[in-house]
Amino acid sequence: MAAAMPLALVVLLLLGPGGPALAEPPRDSLREELVITPLPSGDVAATFQFRTRWDSELQRKGGLSVLLKADRLFHTSYHSQAVHIRPVCRNTRCTSISWELRQTLSVVFDAFITGQGKKDWSLFRMFSRTLTEPCPLASESRVYVDITNYSQDNETLEVNPPPTTTYQDVILGTRRTYAVYDLLDRAMINNSRNLNLQLKWKKPPENEAPLVPFLHAQRYVSGYGLQKGELSTLLYNTHPYRAFPVLLLDSVPWYLRLYVHTLTITSKGKENKPSYIHYQPAQDRLQPHLLEMLIQLPANSVTKVSIQFERALLKWTEYTPDPNHGFYVSPSVLSALVPSMVAAKPVDWEESPLFNTLFPVSDGSSYFVRLYTEPLLVNLPTPDFSMPYNVICLTCTVVAVCYGSFYNLLTRTFHIEEPSTGGLAKRLANLIRRARGVPPL
Amino acid sequence: MAATYCLGRASIALAALLLLSFGSFAASQIEVCTSRFWFNYRHVANTLSVYRSVKRLGIPDSHIVLMLADDMACNPRNPKPATVFSHKNMELNVYGDDVEVDYRSYEVTVENFLRVLTGRIPPSTPRSKRLLSDDRSNILIYMTGHGGNGFLKFQDSEEITNIELADAFEQMWQKRRYNELLFIIDTCQGASMYERFYSPNIMALASSQVGEDSLSHQPDPAIGVHLMDRYTFYVLEFLEEINPASQTNMNDLFQVCPKSLCVSTPGHRTDLFQRDPKNVLITDFFGSVRKVEITTETISLQQYSEMESKPKLKDWHPPGGFILGLWALIIMVFFKTYGIKHMKFIF
């Protein structure tokens, strides 16, 4: 289920130089951000984001990257990494361009691992270390904690240490409130030498179902046998009254031979014709299939896109050493402008947090979302690689046993041989008989 | 590497730090794990443990080519993700934070391994995937996996024979790619892999003789597989006591893991090696020791009238088409003029 729920506690510390009128952003800057979002089920989602405007990668010491330790980050229910590179204008007139590199890491921590059954969590419990100092190279370094539903009163939860500021904005169509902790603010770190954010639930949160996003998708392979199959993608539009278009991009490897005449798109039982289709067929061993469609999703519906395929037989040497594991089909990419529940006012991209500006949209009535469905594992017809060895053994055995016996029977001659008796006694007797001149025994 | 820089022009250098190496050679490493699948966890743990030891003793990643045929740390069957343990007490995570795997997964093939050894690599290969060695490098090659009498299995789909390996080492010797080579192998019947070596300056160690199996050390009930092989486990215990300045020699390494601990009989081969093993330090191969002498004197470098370098061996190329055609023409004209009877005086 590719649910677009980036409930991340975005901790963005923006500590830029003061003054609203910045003629041009600092030339080379590093901004780092951690967003922590408690999910309704009690799990905690954390998203790190690092943005640099340098030509080369920075070596980061201190700051948020101390929290990036593999042993804790892989003990999670969900883990996702992304790298975004794009050219950005250096100034409003766009006379010079620099490259922006964003690296994001999203993880979802399981409540039971972090809190021993209780839903409380802290940075130390999640990452087994705390934030000690800001990164010396960062111009901004912040931690955001999502406290949307509970900002009014202090009776449901308590965030420790108390935040200095809060940040409110329309994120992904809904209004959200974040507690902001600025690592570059000296008062924050100096008090306690380290920053260990803790969240304690005063009242246990009701087990509400997680919010279903307006757009989510699922993909699967159906069919039986190793000759053919069907690839289906389900697109869910859960908005009660708005329909919106979705761009679906599928890149299927060449060894799954798609039959495009079997492509069917149905919504609510009726056929749905896409507004735009682009298909580039695969060439064996050279390039994969490329299928791109713009599909209108009616409100409150499920759209099923399905296409049948045939599995190809690869050449002997093209099989991997573990062919029975299966072959991967890369995820399909969905891009859509989803209507928001709350209209957002246009943001100043430089001042707003990183998590808000990944896909900036100038029109506040919808927000841009890019989803990836799950990758699929497809089994191809696999030859039995041990067959030549087995055949050689069997054939040689059969030849040796059957033909060999037959050959012996036909060509061997048999002589009758006297059994020899006596031995030493007989020899002695013959010696004496020879001395006497008598014929031997 | 001996750092005798010959400059083509006169320069006066203020040498605050002069790097002199007295008879020390750079060490390079190739560590290969050839087994795929989760139940061969121990082979990856073997290789990573050796990798960690040599990194601890000072060899940088640029001089190590690490080939792992499967990913155990991020394997979905690993109950402790992002870790590879070598001992069931879980004290040492040999995967660590700074492992640099150069060849991974499907790239670990016999062809790639032989290309790394002999240097016949396409020009687009990055430096981290090359063995950057020259005739003053001591190379350690550590291989582990499943093997038999005369072969080592790569990833369940192909094998490398001892003859191929011996020929690859001979190619390395001809191309002056090593000064001394230490070959360690931890597989079943490992001694068969070094039987066929014929190049000079090779010392070899194996975990078992022909006809014997190398056994694994201990299973771990939490992870569910055997964590390490016996021979490498005891070699590692031995290496943990080595520091960059220690004077232990190869004879001590030969004594590691006697039959009582290892069940198999480790073997070694030193007849191709020039020096006596008791004079060879462990750190010659496992560590990287440079003697550095710091001085604040000024040293002026003289101008050399010509470059003092080894005469470059010019490769012989067969004559090109034009030259051949020209000679054919000349010979044809000669025989047409003076008749074919002159042929017998030529041949």
Side-chain angles (χ1 to χ4, degrees):
Chain A
M1 264 301 230
M5 292 265 279
L7 296 180
L9 208 64
V10 175
V11 186
L12 235 158
L13 268 83
L14 285 180
L15 203 65
L22 260 173
E24 79 175 49
R27 254 190 78 163
D28 302 314
S29 61
L30 162 70
R31 286 169 60 168
E32 50 182 24
E33 198 175 276
L34 165 62
V35 185
I36 308 180
T37 309
L39 299 173
S41 59
D43 302 335
V44 182
T47 302
F48 291 85
Q49 216 179 121
F50 299 93
R51 192 193 78 176
T52 63
R53 277 225 183 108
W54 289 53
D55 290 326
S56 59
E57 177 78 45
L58 288 179
Q59 282 285 341
R60 284 184 292 269
K61 297 191 178 70
L64 295 174
S65 35
V66 294
L67 297 178
L68 294 176
K69 289 295 177 203
D71 56 339
R72 299 303 303 169
L73 287 176
F74 282 92
H75 256 284
T76 51
S77 313
Y78 171 83
H79 173 263
S80 163
Q81 286 174 301
V83 175
H84 300 261
I85 300 180
R86 61 182 179 191
V88 289
C89 299
R90 286 243 187 101
N91 47 29
T92 45
R93 286 186 312 281
C94 219
T95 47
S96 64
I97 295 181
S98 61
W99 287 92
E100 179 189 271
L101 165 74
R102 277 183 199 236
Q103 297 166 291
T104 56
L105 166 68
S106 303
V107 293
V108 175
F109 288 94
D110 193 346
F112 291 106
I113 292 180
T114 53
Q116 288 107 34
K118 290 184 293 194
K119 307 280 177 73
D120 302 342
W121 53 263
S122 70
L123 276 188
F124 186 72
R125 275 221 194 98
M126 289 198 295
F127 301 104
S128 72
R129 45 187 62 79
T130 56
L131 296 165
T132 45
E133 51 164 8
C135 176
L137 297 166
S139 59
E140 286 169 10
S141 188
R142 288 191 190 154
V143 180
Y144 289 77
V145 183
D146 186 344
I147 48 174
T148 307
N149 300 334
Y150 313 103
S151 58
Q152 293 348 345
D153 44 24
N154 236 356
E155 290 159 9
T156 41
L157 62 78
E158 182 198 339
V159 187
N160 195 3
T164 44
T165 45
T166 56
Y167 170 73
Q168 272 206 21
D169 202 352
V170 178
I171 308 288
L172 295 177
T174 49
R175 188 164 290 284
R176 299 198 163 273
T177 314
Y178 295 89
V180 183
Y181 296 88
D182 195 339
L183 279 183
L184 289 173
D185 181 4
R186 289 190 187 279
M188 179 80 28
I189 300 285
N190 278 353
N191 287 346
S192 53
R193 279 322 207 151
N194 62 1
L195 179 62
N196 183 21
L197 281 174
Q198 284 170 330
L199 187 137
K200 287 195 181 43
W201 296 92
K202 296 276 179 65
K203 205 169 59 181
E206 314 98 50
N207 279 346
E208 55 198 53
L211 277 167
V212 182
F214 287 145
L215 173 68
H216 60 273
Q218 196 182 356
R219 196 163 74 142
Y220 56 91
V221 166
S222 51
Y224 59 90
L226 286 176
Q227 195 193 353
K228 41 193 200 306
E230 187 177 6
L231 187 64
S232 307
T233 312
L234 292 175
L235 306 168
Y236 295 85
N237 177 1
T238 56
H239 201 287
Y241 52 84
R242 292 277 302 271
F244 52 87
V246 161
L247 189 66
L248 174 66
L249 175 73
D250 250 323
S251 174
V252 179
W254 65 267
Y255 40 81
L256 298 182
R257 303 218 159 95
L258 297 180
Y259 290 119
V260 187
H261 73 278
T262 57
L263 173 67
T264 48
I265 310 174
T266 45
S267 310
K268 288 185 177 168
K270 291 192 305 225
E271 199 201 324
N272 184 349
K273 198 156 163 11
S275 337
Y276 164 80
I277 294 190
H278 169 71
Y279 175 64
Q280 194 176 17
Q283 292 180 23
D284 273 8
R285 298 175 185 87
L286 287 179
Q287 65 182 48
H289 301 274
L290 185 70
L291 180 59
E292 197 171 11
M293 297 183 284
L294 186 65
I295 307 172
Q296 285 285 344
L297 300 183
N300 209 12
S301 66
V302 180
T303 306
K304 180 170 173 187
V305 180
S306 62
I307 185 167
Q308 290 179 7
F309 61 85
E310 192 184 62
R311 302 171 208 231
L313 191 65
L314 300 179
K315 292 188 183 162
W316 186 275
T317 46
E318 284 173 356
Y319 283 100
T320 54
D322 56 349
N324 290 302
H325 176 73
F327 290 77
Y328 285 102
V329 181
S330 35
S332 39
V333 186
L334 302 167
S335 316
L337 276 172
V338 181
S340 348
M341 290 220 288
V342 179
K345 49 186 196 308
V347 290
D348 180 4
W349 295 350
E350 272 313 307
E351 294 304 318
S352 54
L354 288 177
F355 64 91
N356 212 1
T357 58
L358 187 56
F359 296 115
V361 179
S362 51
D363 172 19
S365 64
S366 51
Y367 58 94
F368 181 77
V369 129
R370 174 164 286 151
L371 294 184
Y372 297 88
T373 59
E374 47 281 81
L376 299 173
L377 255 189
V378 168
N379 262 20
L380 290 187
T382 307
D384 179 2
F385 294 99
S386 62
M387 186 275 282
Y389 171 77
N390 291 339
V391 165
I392 291 170
C393 285
L394 194 66
T395 317
C396 291
T397 309
V398 165
V399 167
V401 169
C402 297
Y403 175 71
S405 320
F406 205 58
Y407 176 80
N408 283 339
L409 272 172
L410 290 178
T411 57
R412 208 164 272 177
T413 56
F414 293 94
H415 302 279
I416 298 174
E417 204 176 271
E418 292 278 332
S420 67
T421 54
L424 183 61
K426 187 164 167 209
R427 270 190 269 141
L428 270 173
N430 280 339
L431 203 66
I432 295 167
R433 284 179 95 124
R434 207 167 50 204
R436 282 170 52 192
V438 171
L441 294 166
Chain B
M1 260 164 278
T4 35
Y5 296 110
C6 298
L7 299 174
R9 41 199 144 109
S11 53
I12 296 178
L14 180 67
L17 179 71
L18 187 70
L19 190 71
L20 295 173
S21 45
F22 298 103
S24 73
F25 301 90
S28 298
Q29 312 266 324
I30 304 179
E31 278 129 29
V32 183
C33 159
T34 58
S35 300
R36 174 168 277 277
F37 304 124
W38 171 245
F39 47 83
N40 291 321
Y41 184 102
R42 57 188 189 280
H43 298 140
V44 172
N46 287 352
T47 318
L48 284 172
S49 313
V50 175
Y51 171 79
R52 267 186 62 93
S53 302
V54 304
K55 268 187 87 161
R56 185 180 58 82
L57 292 171
I59 299 192
D61 271 314
S62 55
H63 284 247
I64 304 180
V65 174
L66 179 62
M67 305 170 82
L68 294 181
D70 203 356
D71 179 15
M72 297 304 168
C74 298
N75 196 307
R77 291 172 75 165
N78 192 349
K80 301 186 198 316
T83 57
V84 173
F85 290 107
S86 63
H87 190 272
K88 69 173 190 264
N89 284 348
M90 310 294 182
E91 3 179 272
L92 186 59
N93 173 16
V94 291
Y95 201 66
D97 271 332
D98 59 347
V99 167
E100 192 184 291
V101 182
D102 301 307
Y103 286 84
R104 66 193 68 201
S105 190
Y106 301 138
E107 295 168 359
V108 179
T109 58
V110 173
E111 182 191 340
N112 281 348
F113 175 61
L114 292 178
R115 281 185 187 279
V116 164
L117 283 182
T118 54
R120 298 171 185 263
I121 294 186
S124 55
T125 319
R127 281 177 70 89
S128 60
K129 285 186 158 172
R130 292 174 192 251
L131 179 66
L132 306 161
S133 64
D134 56 10
D135 63 329
R136 291 177 69 80
S137 309
N138 292 345
I139 302 187
L140 165 72
I141 298 182
Y142 175 82
M143 301 182 77
T144 181
H146 289 287
N149 190 356
F151 67 90
L152 171 62
K153 188 171 77 156
F154 264 70
Q155 286 213 54
D156 217 25
S157 66
E158 48 185 4
E159 292 133 15
I160 184 172
T161 56
N162 47 5
I163 303 173
E164 277 182 327
L165 197 56
D167 287 342
F169 286 163
E170 176 65 14
Q171 277 196 50
M172 287 175 80
W173 175 252
Q174 300 278 345
K175 293 168 108 165
R176 305 280 181 265
R177 279 173 71 79
Y178 70 90
N179 175 46
E180 286 172 348
L181 201 142
L182 175 63
F183 177 74
I184 304 183
I185 185 160
D186 187 352
T187 62
C188 302
Q189 309 194 48
S192 63
M193 288 305 283
Y194 62 64
E195 275 171 2
R196 300 291 195 123
F197 291 166
Y198 55 94
S199 318
N201 286 356
I202 299 185
M203 181 160 20
L205 280 105
S207 58
S208 56
Q209 302 293 332
V210 174
E212 284 180 347
D213 287 336
S214 286
L215 301 175
S216 58
H217 187 60
Q218 27 169 245
D220 177 85
I223 296 186
V225 286
H226 286 257
L227 292 185
M228 241 178 128
D229 280 331
R230 282 176 192 250
Y231 182 71
T232 311
F233 184 80
Y234 291 109
V235 164
L236 228 72
E237 263 190 6
F238 174 80
L239 286 178
E240 287 288 311
E241 287 148 28
I242 309 281
N243 54 56
S246 67
Q247 299 289 313
T248 2
N249 56 36
M250 280 295 165
N251 273 344
D252 302 325
L253 189 56
F254 295 156
Q255 308 304 325
V256 161
C257 207
K259 196 171 163 83
S260 54
L261 289 172
C262 253
V263 186
S264 58
T265 321
H268 54 91
R269 179 179 177 179
T270 51
D271 56 315
L272 296 166
F273 206 72
Q274 314 259 0
R275 299 190 279 158
D276 194 348
K278 69 171 185 294
N279 297 334
V280 179
L281 296 178
I282 299 282
T283 49
D284 277 354
F285 289 101
F286 284 90
S288 177
V289 180
R290 316 277 183 97
K291 296 188 182 60
V292 175
E293 191 182 286
I294 302 180
T295 173
T296 49
E297 295 172 9
T298 311
I299 296 173
S300 67
L301 301 165
Q302 305 296 327
Q303 177 173 13
Y304 288 96
S305 52
E306 69 208 21
M307 286 282 284
E308 207 183 286
S309 56
K310 277 194 291 214
K312 262 174 77 104
L313 286 160
K314 279 186 79 149
D315 296 314
W316 179 79
H317 299 283
F322 176 75
I323 306 289
L324 276 175
L326 199 62
W327 276 107
L329 192 67
I330 292 169
I331 287 172
M332 205 171 61
V333 166
F334 174 82
F335 282 119
K336 273 200 146 15
T337 324
Y338 298 105
I340 206 80
K341 63 183 184 289
H342 291 276
M343 188 92 97
K344 65 175 183 289
F345 296 107
I346 312 263
F347 291 111

